[in-house]
Amino acid sequence: MVFARFNAIFKVVSNLTRKLNIVASNGQYGLGAYPSTRLRRNRGDDFSRRMVAENKLSADDFIWPVFVCEGKNRREPINSMPGVERISVDLIATAAADAKSLGIPAMALFPNTDPAKKTPDAAEALNPDNLVCRASKALKDAHPDMGILCDVALDPYNSDGHDGIVRDGVIINDETVEILCRQAIVQAAAGCNIIGPSDMMDGRIGAIRKALDEESFADVRIMSYAAKYASAYYGPFRDAVGANSALKGDKKTYQMDYANSDEALHEVALDLAEGADMVMVKPGMPYLDIVRRVKDTFRVPTFAYQVSGEYAMLKAAANNGWLDNDKVVLESLTAFKRAGADGILTYLAVEAAKLIQDQP
Ligand code: PBG
């Protein structure tokens, strides 16, 4: 009696589990189960792996950040970014020619400003003849079809090293936004096609959009650094632009707390409402969850920045023989695509584009 009962219960339970299994593997995804289904079949040959690959990296996905310095025919290595150099303005055209021949659509220009030109009001940001404007003009003259992205933020020009104006230790939002609008106009006039506000002040996208429109730069695009985190991965970049020594304190009162994810969606929503054409998540690889959420939620052009610290980690390991450089370069960049990024700002752009070209 007890045994029969136990048997009946056992049957019900095992039927249920079988049904649930079928629902899990068949119902939701329409897939079969082992042994009729063997996922290793498609993985078995190069040809079929290529047939079923869901993402493909191309040079079109890259924006190449380049550091510029004063001087002539000058190349300055950056210790914390092995393989990356600051180049003088006269070398920009050749660098751009290389990028163009590989199919890279755009470059981002970052100036290493002479420390003597840094002031608390960051006035050099508004000089139409400053380093980044000269670089932008030189690039546009030589290669009108190369896209140019310029950061809007005050840190390269600010003796306090901050992205905004500092008063009594506080980064002043609205006053900074007014300066950023003028900076954007100066850069647009120098040929910049994409304004990249990287400062994380509130309300700057709407204000910059309005300012550009009023100055008849309605076609200049805005790629908002929408979800930019206060990150230690920017260290090598600050070496490259010479901002590390100037920076007092940290950027936590304006860049996002890396503990947060919903807040990134809030930032992106605001920037889109204010007129951003494209949004960016930054840093990159440690924040791929944010890239995915942004892409799934908004379905707009979404970019990610593989930042200086990510580059430094990869090169440090590769240069020690601990990682296979070429394989990790391609794997790391494809991960951005898989996470939903439409494009990647990466110091590896030229190197990766060559690797893609050399692939069979
Ligand atoms: C400037 C800016 C930074 C980066 C891009 N624009 C540094 C910062 O905000 O401190 C970082 C890029 C990188 O690390 O590669 N606002």
Side-chain angles (χ1 to χ4, degrees):
M1 188 55 183
V2 172
F3 178 74
R5 218 186 199 160
F6 174 80
N7 225 1
I9 291 170
F10 179 79
K11 255 192 186 155
V12 169
V13 170
S14 64
N15 270 339
L16 198 67
T17 19
R18 203 175 316 134
K19 259 188 204 147
L20 282 177
N21 268 335
I22 291 167
V23 168
S25 60
N26 242 348
Q28 194 181 351
Y29 299 111
L31 299 173
Y34 171 85
S36 52
T37 294
R38 290 176 185 267
L39 292 180
R40 290 187 56 192
R41 279 191 205 109
N42 286 340
R43 291 180 205 139
D45 289 286
D46 179 62
F47 79 83
S48 56
R49 285 194 294 273
R50 274 159 44 214
M51 283 170 66
V52 301
E54 296 172 39
N55 294 286
K56 197 163 172 64
L57 202 57
S58 115
D60 289 334
D61 298 320
F62 302 146
I63 297 173
W64 183 32
V66 171
F67 299 108
V68 284
C69 61
E70 297 288 357
K72 257 204 143 35
N73 195 21
R74 223 180 136 73
R75 297 180 171 278
E76 301 174 349
I78 300 153
N79 281 344
S80 51
M81 299 183 74
V84 175
E85 296 170 320
R86 301 181 197 105
I87 56 173
S88 50
V89 172
D90 54 317
L91 300 179
I92 297 266
T94 333
D98 283 350
K100 201 164 92 173
S101 71
L102 289 160
I104 294 169
M107 289 163 66
L109 301 175
F110 292 101
N112 179 277
T113 308
D114 176 359
K117 290 189 175 151
K118 296 186 185 184
T119 54
D121 64 355
E124 181 66 5
L126 305 181
N127 174 5
D129 207 30
N130 69 21
L131 183 55
V132 82
C133 288
R134 276 181 280 130
S136 179
K137 277 181 208 149
L139 175 47
K140 200 62 345 176
D141 284 351
H143 301 285
D145 50 353
M146 173 62 77
I148 304 177
L149 185 146
C150 291
D151 254 38
V152 159
L154 301 183
D155 54 332
Y157 312 102
N158 190 342
S159 43
D160 294 303
H162 278 289
D163 294 21
I165 296 294
V166 186
R167 198 159 299 129
D168 300 327
V170 177
I171 288 85
I172 314 282
N173 194 89
D174 298 5
E175 196 178 319
T176 298
V177 171
E178 282 173 32
I179 304 173
L180 298 175
C181 289
R182 288 157 60 204
Q183 183 185 18
I185 289 164
V186 164
Q187 292 177 347
C192 167
N193 306 102
I194 309 171
I195 294 294
S198 70
D199 53 285
M200 290 299 279
M201 297 300 119
D202 286 322
R204 88 276 205 219
I205 300 299
I208 291 172
R209 182 70 272 160
K210 188 163 167 281
L212 287 170
D213 290 355
E214 281 169 4
E215 296 289 324
S216 60
F217 291 119
D219 293 333
V220 170
R221 302 142 183 92
I222 297 179
M223 179 187 289
S224 164
Y225 285 69
K228 178 172 178 180
Y229 288 84
S231 170
Y233 286 95
Y234 307 151
F237 173 95
R238 293 179 192 162
D239 289 338
V241 300
N244 246 343
S245 47
L247 182 62
K248 300 182 179 89
D250 58 46
K251 299 192 175 185
K252 287 182 184 169
T253 67
Y254 45 108
Q255 298 180 346
M256 281 180 57
D257 180 350
Y258 56 69
N260 297 351
S261 171
D262 287 343
E263 189 189 355
L265 301 184
H266 199 164
E267 282 284 1
V268 169
L270 287 174
D271 287 1
L272 290 171
E274 291 175 31
D277 302 286
M278 313 171 229
V279 295
M280 191 207 296
V281 173
K282 179 184 175 197
M285 208 150 82
Y287 294 77
L288 292 183
D289 58 319
I290 309 297
V291 175
R292 172 50 69 195
R293 284 194 82 190
V294 167
K295 188 64 183 174
D296 285 351
T297 306
F298 298 101
R299 304 262 164 214
V300 298
T302 303
F303 290 76
Y305 199 141
Q306 185 181 49
V307 299
S308 55
E310 299 175 62
Y311 175 89
M313 290 196 303
L314 194 156
K315 287 298 173 188
N319 290 344
N320 270 298
W322 298 336
L323 287 175
D324 180 319
N325 182 77
D326 296 358
K327 288 185 176 145
V328 176
V329 164
L330 294 177
E331 182 177 339
S332 70
L333 292 168
T334 304
F336 286 90
K337 297 282 288 182
R338 194 187 62 237
D342 296 290
I344 309 138
L345 289 93
T346 174
Y347 303 99
L348 299 167
V350 167
E351 183 178 352
K354 283 185 187 150
L355 289 173
I356 292 168
Q357 210 170 52
D358 294 345
Q359 267 176 350

